[in-house]
Amino acid sequence: MLSGLVSLVTISMSDKRTDVLSLAKFLPYQLSITSNAVSNRIAQVYRCEFGLKVTEWRVMAVLGDGGALTQRQLTERTLMDKVAVNRACKVLEQRGLASREPNAQDGRSHMLALTSDGWTMHDRIVPLARDMERRLLSQLNAEERVTFESLLLRLRDQSNKLGPAGADSAYGAD
Amino acid sequence: MLSGLVSLVTISMSDKRTDVLSLAKFLPYQLSITSNAVSNRIAQVYRCEFGLKVTEWRVMAVLGDGGALTQRQLTERTLMDKVAVNRACKVLEQRGLASREPNAQDGRSHMLALTSDGWTMHDRIVPLARDMERRLLSQLNAEERVTFESLLLRLRDQSNKLGPAGADSAYGAD
DNA sequence: GCCATTTGATTTCAATTGCCACTATGTGGT
DNA sequence: ACCACATAGTGGCAATTGAAATCAAATGGC
């Protein structure tokens, strides 16, 4: 709006910048900072109180949801790097939150599952995470939430369509 | 599905898990992976072709938008850590894309601005970034884009309300 | 004017992360 | 059965990153 006025006045200036990219108007940037803000809120829940990192919590959540899994399966479901999964599993094992058992079907891999302690922690975190989600979404009505979810999905699909799996990295937390 | 069958058979088992957190249904997780997918697409534009990292491009974008600024101002506008800003500026300066000049108002800081080369690169990247944004959003109509932007903003506001600036970190790229 | 405090920028150091290579096991062709 | 090749997991190293410490300049009280 101001630049509009300026251009009226300085029409003939040759060095007028017409093509600036205001980050504030750039939707991918907005998406990024919003995601980070939300991620940090959620991460607080399990980082501060339970000393879990994002990767570790993601693995716990997936194990809680899907039962015993191999690291390969965890890698698929968490969309994390296999090394990150491996390290998270190692930590969980050392803390007694998950156990490894030999995989009868494949001697190379192990089946990972939550231990009793792991379940206890999991069951304490889930309600807290849900509660934080509820508070974050409290300003959106039911319809808006559905819309938002749908828009996110379509954006993700489109992104995948534009380039199959582009140099993935950096999980901002969930 | 299998667990569903099992629960029919073992209805009275006391350890039936009712409170799993399926990541796929957890909105903060969806937001996170969507943001990463989009960020990686955008980052390709300036990483592959121009060898810029996220932090560096953000600084360039803000300088392109706001003219000469101090690092402090850049930190505010990019929402990045001041060390990250400092390192990005150093790189840009070494590559001859930005220049530092003494700040008359404050001897501690310098005014950073894009050089001629910096502008040239900036003006080549902006259309490409916009184009990628356009392609990413091609599945959304005008109304949906406005809605999406508004929802993101409200989510961000709510997040900030829930806890003033919580241990910020990890910018997933923009 | 002078000292204490604050602020902008920078350096240093420890922790985290990603990438590459390696081991071990499994799979399929001949 | 043997070989080449693919796959699961792991260790090590280099690069990235964040937090705290440091330096330099400015600000405010007296």
Side-chain angles (χ1 to χ4, degrees), chain B residues 94-159:
Chain B
Q94 286 169 346
R95 289 183 59 176
L97 299 169
S99 64
R100 279 171 205 260
E101 312 216 351
N103 181 355
Q105 277 78 45
D106 190 331
R108 295 170 297 182
S109 61
H110 317 98
M111 300 305 289
L112 288 146
L114 293 178
T115 62
S116 170
D117 282 0
W119 274 112
T120 302
M121 182 176 289
H122 173 275
D123 291 352
R124 283 177 63 201
I125 294 177
V126 167
L128 294 175
R130 281 200 190 290
D131 194 59
M132 183 57 80
E133 179 192 32
R134 190 184 51 70
R135 279 192 275 173
L136 283 164
L137 295 176
S138 64
Q139 303 304 309
L140 312 190
N141 63 40
E143 186 194 347
E144 288 170 328
R145 295 180 199 191
V146 172
T147 301
F148 188 59
E149 206 164 332
S150 154
L151 291 172
L152 284 177
L153 180 61
R154 285 157 67 191
L155 213 47
R156 229 178 307 149
D157 286 345
Q158 180 64 11
S159 173

Side-chain angles (χ1 to χ4, degrees), chain B residues 24-140:
Chain B
K25 290 282 175 190
F26 193 54
L27 207 131
Y29 175 73
Q30 293 180 11
L31 178 58
S32 173
I33 61 177
T34 303
S35 171
N36 285 338
V38 169
S39 289
N40 287 330
R41 275 292 149 268
I42 298 288
Q44 275 187 332
V45 171
Y46 45 77
R47 188 180 49 209
C48 301
E49 315 245 349
F50 302 92
L52 291 173
K53 290 197 269 193
V54 182
T55 55
E56 290 151 17
W57 166 243
R58 278 199 186 174
V59 168
M60 283 192 72
V62 170
L63 288 180
D65 191 28
L69 297 168
T70 67
Q71 286 187 188
R72 172 84 190 100
Q73 293 170 314
L74 286 167
T75 300
E76 282 167 9
R77 302 205 191 186
T78 59
L79 297 185
M80 304 192 306
D81 183 80
K82 65 175 181 172
V83 180
V85 169
N86 178 266
R87 290 198 256 247
C89 290
K90 210 186 299 181
V91 172
L92 292 178
E93 198 187 359
Q94 286 169 346
R95 289 183 59 176
L97 299 169
S99 64
R100 279 171 205 260
E101 312 216 351
N103 181 355
Q105 277 78 45
D106 190 331
R108 295 170 297 182
S109 61
H110 317 98
M111 300 305 289
L112 288 146
L114 293 178
T115 62
S116 170
D117 282 0
W119 274 112
T120 302
M121 182 176 289
H122 173 275
D123 291 352
R124 283 177 63 201
I125 294 177
V126 167
L128 294 175
R130 281 200 190 290
D131 194 59
M132 183 57 80
E133 179 192 32
R134 190 184 51 70
R135 279 192 275 173
L136 283 164
L137 295 176
S138 64
Q139 303 304 309
L140 312 190

